[in-house]
Amino acid sequence: MTDNRREELTVRRLLENSEYRIPIYQRNYAWEKKEVMQLVQDVADYAKDRPDSNYYIGTLVVFPRVAGGRRYFETIDGQQRTTTLTLIASVLRHRADLKDCMAWYGGVNISFEHREKSNDTLAAIYDGRLDVLPEEATNVDIKQVAGQIEEIVNKVCKARQIDVTAFAGYLFGKVYILRVEVPKDTNLNHYFEIMNSRGEQLEHHEVVKARLMNLLRESPDDMAVFDMIWEACSNMERYVQMNFNKDVRTALFADNGTGRLLLGFDGIVSFVAANRAAVADDCEAKSLHRLFQDDRNGVSYRKPWKENLAKDYPETFHPVISFSNFLLHVLKIIRPANADIALDDKRLITVFDKVMREEADRKGFAKEFIGALLRLRWLFDKYIIKRKQEKWSLQSLVTQKGNPDKYYYRATFSRDNDDSEDDNADNRQVAMLLTMFHVSAPTQNYKNWLYAALLYVYAHDDVTAVGYARYLWTLARAYMLDVYLAGDDALPFETIIRENKGQPKHRIEDACWRNINIGECPRVGEAVENFVFNFYDYLLWRETNDADFDFDYRTSVEHFYPQHPINRAGIDYGYLHSFGNLCIVSRSINSRFSNSLPEAKVVNYGGAEDMKSYSMKLKGMMAVVKGGAEWAENRIKEEEQKARERMEQALS
């Protein structure tokens, strides 16, 4: 499709034609690994499943300008995606297996106005000289992402069992972007005002809700109850019980509305029919006339969770996934035989439509799904970690003894009604395992560990700390043995979870240690997976029970002895990239450490407060240098051997 101001461009045409400039009023490049991973995964999914179909990646909004006789496009919206595509092309062109595929790419055609660091970094990545670019001329954020692109592409292509050349061919030839030129007389200030204040479109989960409710249209009571449950479950920042009014809550859940679910869908419908006055605010379908009438009478419309609660009720949590993604987990659990249910919420409508087409009893399916949704939301709240006041939390909703109207939280696996989560060893063990999985795979669409955890608690009426922790630990061992140490015969996560029930199939004796830079085998550079580092941190934490340690979003691989040391010679490639010399840190710490030598890192960033935020592995490295030992090749080899022995013992 082409007209005066709209043009569909393949990624190749986007990157080899025209000139794009990012104006100074736009923010600088801000994508991180998770956003790049998501883009690559989306493209790889289509390259695998629909190689002959085009994939539309989004819109690039531009304003045409002319300066010095040169025509260029001022980029108004879409610069993050466009810059990322430029980085991917600039990195992949240096691969030997893509030399012919990338011959068309003759140079970077995007630039940042008055940001020379960004431009110098882009040019260095294209030329393959990023390692020698002076630090003062480098945009750290762009460099960080560029250093992760090849690892991301290799990982994603391996997981989807497609060749990197096939991925690249699809990305540059079948992926399209819609370039939209705003008219030359556009008031850009007004345009930005409109863009920033535009209303939200109907969300995918709202479309799915409408289609499922339509299956129940013959029964207004069924539709009303479906709507009540859906709305309660959709607020993921509060425990689901608190999204019902008190009368409904105490009827649906045991223990004054905090315990297990007591009623199925038909039972809830019967309760509502018998108690219409008590539950009217939760599930009464109001006409437009009634809403206007209520407004004239001063009756405000509210969600059921807007009731007045005690002022000290701590109600806000940050879940690890969105509601749309949670719907897919529920669907995958109640339809385990359907292999086409991917945890990708961009496909939410398509996935549900396909499942419903295969259902013989669609009305029964709608009832089954909404019942499972409510039960799994209660399980999710109780048995899955969430963020609370910048800390990870694994808590259950309870009522105060002698005061059923007073709600509070305590550790899910509480000993003798001990309310202290930090002092509860069983609860902390489970929470640490869950957090280890989560921070290793923060992207929502590929949380296989979450699917496994929900599948486990859904299948067990009595979930104990010992049983749950044992399952999660076994799953972690399967991840290590069947994926990260498995070599060429690695198993898909789906197989590990559904077919093998989380039990590892490979043996430690067959481990391919070169995958994680241990041993004399060829090494994989910085491409050691985050899960491997977090698994090792878990082993170290289990040995020390370090009260200050917690898993966090550490996504940058750090060489403790740097790649380009200041005023000192580098070390052998094998020792430099050894697992003994690597750890993961946050992006900010990675930037602060830069090319400092180990001794300088300890002096400048080895204080007690700094150490609290570090990974267990980095703490150990710091401790070695603090103890007076030199961090050199022999010490790196020793640390690598310790790591191997520790993992062998844990995985045997």
Side-chain angles (χ1 to χ4, degrees), residues 181-199:
E181 297 181 30
V182 299
K184 293 182 180 179
D185 58 352
T186 299
N187 182 326
L188 289 184
N189 289 331
H190 180 64
Y191 180 86
F192 280 117
E193 181 181 340
I194 296 298
M195 274 183 48
N196 292 330
S197 62
R198 60 192 173 190

Side-chain angles (χ1 to χ4, degrees), residues 537-552:
D537 275 350
Y538 177 79
L539 299 183
L540 294 172
W541 170 79
R542 198 167 61 171
E543 289 179 12
T544 63
N545 199 26
D546 186 336
D548 290 328
F549 175 71
D550 210 347
F551 288 106
D552 209 337

Side-chain angles (χ1 to χ4, degrees), residues 27 37 89 115 196 250 299 345 351 363 442 576 601 633:
R27 65 175 178 162
M37 175 76 81
R115 287 173 173 154
N196 292 330
T250 53
V299 179
D345 56 7
V351 169
K363 179 179 178 181
L576 177 68
K601 291 173 180 174
E633 294 180 350

Side-chain angles (χ1 to χ4, degrees), residues 480-481 485 507-521 523 532 535-536 539-540 543 578-581 617 636-652:
M480 286 296 296
L481 290 168
L485 290 173
R507 300 184 309 160
I508 188 62
E509 291 80 7
D510 303 320
C512 183
W513 292 100
R514 68 175 180 273
N515 284 8
I516 62 172
N517 290 4
I518 287 180
E520 301 301 327
C521 305
R523 301 178 185 276
V532 176
F535 179 83
Y536 190 64
L539 299 183
L540 294 172
E543 289 179 12
S578 163
F579 187 78
N581 190 48
K617 194 171 190 301
I636 291 171
K637 187 67 177 176
E638 182 180 333
E639 293 300 317
E640 178 188 285
Q641 185 59 32
K642 286 181 181 178
R644 174 169 178 164
E645 291 172 358
R646 188 173 274 114
M647 283 192 270
E648 281 181 329
Q649 182 178 0
L651 296 172
S652 294

